[in-house]
């Protein structure tokens, strides 16, 4: 009986030892294996992705009018205020035009005088001078005829020996003098003025006409009218204020359509093409977005502040006149847009010898999947091949452990 008890105790000890050893092996194996790395992950889904160029821009009037003081003067009367809608031809501002009117009147008088002088040149003088010359020609022609008759009579008498040769010679000399006087007057009537005199009078006429046109132009600029329907968006003068020549008086624009000039950084210029969609935003109205398309692709790179940029423009409908000239706006240019495609976050894409890949999580283990990609933006990348839909893809660990193929992981949210 005692031997049986000893045998049972011995067998029990061996069983306990075996169980203890097995437990130790399991514990050692579990301790020696890497623990599952916590990672963030997403499930791939189909959706839309846009590749965009985000930058800033400035609003400009599409049709703009600026009025400047043509001469030194004062503001006589303001008929509008900033922000007023005006009609074509409407009087906006009247500047003091007293001096300009006087100068215009003087110029007009000079034109009339020059016209009179030019008419006198063409007709041979003024009326009194023409009448006097005509009278002198009549007298000279009568004297010539009388001298001719006297000579004819003396020659007949000489043939009858009733007149001496001396009397005939005197009659011939008298006829020559009468004809010379007549020829001089006729020549004077035909070309009284020399070519230099004619040129001088013509120049005076042209100068007087130019001065009159200039005076009328200045006079018209002193009464500022709207050249088209629009909005007075700048009126930096006060009634009664003095203006120097060239000072800005008023700015008017048709703001129903405005131009947005966008400044695109040099590396993004090659992505632009006419017709690409543009979204315009303004911080003052964050809930609004204005849409247009690229109308001009940059042809030159310019220095804009500290940036090398290309300038692209678009025309934006502004029917409610909310976009104002010279404001700074945000510009988003959609260079590409794909719908119903597979996308993953940018941080899921990794590179191996310039080949993109992702870590797909299968049975809590990372499996490397090489993929093909298409367009991307700041947050998403389109995957065109190499990854199934609804795949679980690792983004990154929540600790400092690096990710590798075959690594055990657990997804955390």
């Amino acid at each position: 009986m005692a031997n049986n008890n000893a045998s049972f105790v011995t067998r029990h000890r061996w069983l306990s030892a075996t169980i203890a050893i097995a437990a130790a092996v399991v514990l050692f194996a579990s301790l020696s294996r890497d623990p599952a790395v916590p990672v963030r992950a997403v499930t791939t889904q189909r959706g839309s992705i846009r590749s965009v160029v985000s930058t800033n821009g400035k609003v400009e009037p599409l049709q703009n009018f600026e009025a400047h003081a043509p001469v030194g003067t004062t503001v006589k009367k303001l008929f509008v205020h900033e922000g007023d809608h005006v009609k074509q031809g409407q009087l906006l501002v009247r500047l003091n035009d007293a001096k300009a009117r006087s100068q215009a009147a003087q110029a007009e008088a000079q034109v009339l005088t020059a016209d009179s002088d030019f008419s006198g040149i063409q007709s041979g003088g003024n009326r009194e001078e023409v009448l006097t010359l005509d009278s002198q020609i009549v007298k000279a022609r009568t004297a010539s005829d009388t001298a001719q008759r006297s000579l004819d009579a003396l020659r007949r008498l000489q043939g009858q020996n009733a007149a001496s040769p001396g009397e005939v010679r005197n009659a011939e000399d008298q006829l020559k003098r009468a004809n010379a006087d007549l020829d001089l007057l006729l020549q004077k009537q035909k070309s009284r003025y020399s070519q230099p005199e004619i040129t001088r009078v013509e120049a005076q006429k042209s100068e007087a006409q130019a001065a009159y046109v200039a005076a009328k132009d200045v006079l018209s600029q002193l009464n500022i009218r709207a050249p088209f329907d629009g909005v007075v968006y700048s009126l930096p003068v006060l009634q009664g204020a003095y203006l120097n020549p060239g000072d800005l008086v008023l700015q008017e624009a048709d703001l129903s359509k405005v131009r947005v000039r966008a400044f695109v950084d040099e590396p993004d210029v090659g992505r632009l093409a006419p017709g690409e969609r543009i979204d315009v935003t303004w911080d003052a109205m964050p809930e609004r977005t204005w849409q247009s398309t690229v109308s001009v692709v940059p042809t030159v790179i310019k220095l804009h502040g500290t940036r090398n940029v290309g300038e692209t423009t678009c025309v934006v409908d502004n029917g409610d006149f909310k976009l104002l000239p010279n404001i700074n706006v945000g510009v988003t240019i959609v260079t590409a847009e794909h719908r119903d495609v597979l996308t993953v976050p940018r941080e899921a894409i990794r590179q191996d010898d310039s080949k993109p890949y992702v870590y797909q999580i299968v049975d809590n283990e990372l499996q490397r999947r090489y993929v093909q990609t298409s367009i991307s933006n700041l947050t998403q990348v389109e995957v065109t091949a190499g990854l199934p839909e609804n795949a679980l893809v690792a983004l990154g660990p929540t600790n400092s452990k690096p990710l590798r193929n075959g690594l055990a992981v657990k997804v955390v949210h």
Side-chain angles (χ1 to χ4, degrees), residues 215-396:
K216 292 288 287 184
D217 182 57
V218 169
L219 193 59
S220 67
Q221 294 182 58
L222 293 172
N223 291 280
I224 302 171
R225 297 181 180 274
F228 49 79
D229 294 355
V231 177
V232 177
Y233 69 91
S234 177
L235 188 64
V237 298
L238 297 175
Q239 191 163 306
Y242 179 79
L243 300 175
N244 292 305
D247 282 353
L248 178 65
V249 180
L250 173 144
Q251 288 178 294
E252 181 211 346
D254 178 5
L255 298 182
S256 60
K257 292 181 182 293
V258 294
R259 179 188 294 111
V260 174
R261 187 176 301 276
F263 308 105
V264 180
D265 289 315
E266 183 178 351
D268 293 323
V269 168
R271 300 167 59 189
L272 302 181
E276 290 177 340
R277 173 181 164 184
I278 290 182
D279 292 338
V280 177
T281 58
W282 183 26
D283 289 344
M285 301 184 68
E287 75 285 355
R288 286 288 302 274
T289 299
W290 293 263
Q291 292 185 346
S292 184
T293 56
V294 173
S295 56
V296 175
V297 174
T299 57
V300 66
I301 301 299
K302 303 178 181 179
L303 184 63
H304 181 70
T306 58
R307 301 161 56 196
N308 288 323
V309 302
E311 295 183 0
T312 182
T313 61
C314 67
V315 176
V316 177
D317 287 331
N318 188 37
D320 56 2
F321 304 102
K322 294 299 184 181
L323 289 177
L324 307 177
N326 302 319
I327 64 172
N328 295 304
V329 293
V331 176
T332 301
I333 304 171
V334 182
T335 59
E337 185 172 10
H338 293 171
R339 301 179 183 276
D340 193 29
V341 296
L342 201 64
T343 63
V344 296
R346 286 185 71 100
E347 59 182 312
I349 301 294
R350 293 165 171 79
Q351 295 287 335
D352 181 7
D353 296 331
S354 299
K355 295 174 61 178
Y357 67 92
V358 300
Y359 281 124
Q360 183 181 353
I361 302 174
V362 180
D363 296 331
N364 292 323
E365 185 177 280
L366 297 184
Q367 294 184 4
R368 178 178 295 192
R369 297 281 190 265
Y370 287 100
V371 295
Q372 295 179 10
T373 61
S374 181
I375 65 173
S376 63
N377 55 34
L378 293 177
T379 59
Q380 298 289 114
V381 177
E382 178 188 354
V383 176
T384 58
L387 194 63
E389 190 174 346
N390 296 321
L392 188 61
V393 176
L395 299 179

Side-chain angles (χ1 to χ4, degrees), residues 186-203:
L186 292 174
Q187 184 64 30
K188 188 175 182 179
Q189 184 186 46
K190 182 179 180 181
S191 55
R192 177 181 178 184
Y193 298 99
S194 65
Q195 187 58 44
E197 289 177 314
I198 295 173
T199 302
R200 177 180 58 80
V201 172
E202 288 177 341

Side-chain angles (χ1 to χ4, degrees), residues 31-42:
L31 291 175
S32 63
R33 183 180 179 184
D34 289 339
V37 176
V39 296
R40 293 176 295 107
V42 295

